[in-house]
Amino acid sequence: MSGEQNIEIAKKGYAAFTAGDAEAAMADLADDLEWIVPGNSAVSGTYHGKVEVGGLWAKLAEKSLTTTPQHFLGDEERVVVLTQVSAGGESWDSADVLTYRDGKVVKIQTAGDTAKFEKVFGTR
């Protein structure tokens, strides 16, 4: 797929996530998705598949996490989303790198302020 198509898929997914529509947000995620959250917070780790990602989203929702994308940059394989994250009374900048295969997101790697994640979600 083209970079523009991948960016549109990403925008649609972020809009659905923001609207609280988990089903629509997961529509373009591959069944074997891998999501990596860095650091040593209670939500840090590598999540595999939609069931585990749904569990991650439930943990994020407990602290009313919101993400407000600022910029989408992409090509045929990846989209980088620069976003403002808010949760638990804190806010920080973050970047998500989405990797695509056959029109589906197969990997998401989050790069954000790990100290903020630990402050909001606690440590392991």
Side-chain angles (χ1 to χ4, degrees):
M1 301 196 72
S2 74
E4 293 82 16
Q5 289 170 311
N6 288 339
I7 288 171
E8 288 309 310
I9 291 169
K11 286 181 177 180
K12 185 174 71 169
Y14 275 79
F17 182 86
T18 298
D21 187 346
E23 184 177 340
M26 286 197 179
D28 293 309
L29 302 182
D31 291 338
D32 61 346
L33 170 75
E34 176 184 62
W35 192 323
I36 302 167
V37 180
N40 194 37
S41 75
V43 296
S44 297
T46 301
Y47 298 84
H48 298 97
K50 291 182 178 182
V51 171
E52 287 187 12
V53 169
L56 168 63
W57 289 0
K59 290 177 190 174
L60 300 177
E62 290 174 6
K63 299 292 183 174
S64 302
L65 183 134
T66 62
T67 183
T68 307
Q70 307 295 308
H71 300 284
F72 292 84
L73 311 161
D75 62 23
E76 296 80 22
E77 187 178 354
R78 287 184 186 82
V79 172
V80 176
V81 182
L82 304 178
T83 187
Q84 180 71 35
V85 177
S86 297
E90 299 288 331
S91 63
W92 61 94
D93 293 321
S94 187
D96 294 325
V97 180
L98 290 66
T99 302
Y100 289 79
R101 181 181 66 227
D102 301 324
K104 295 282 188 178
V105 179
V106 295
K107 181 178 181 182
I108 300 174
Q109 187 159 0
T110 298
D113 188 334
T114 57
K116 292 278 188 174
F117 272 104
E118 290 175 17
K119 184 175 182 179
V120 172
F121 295 100
T123 57
R124 295 188 216 198

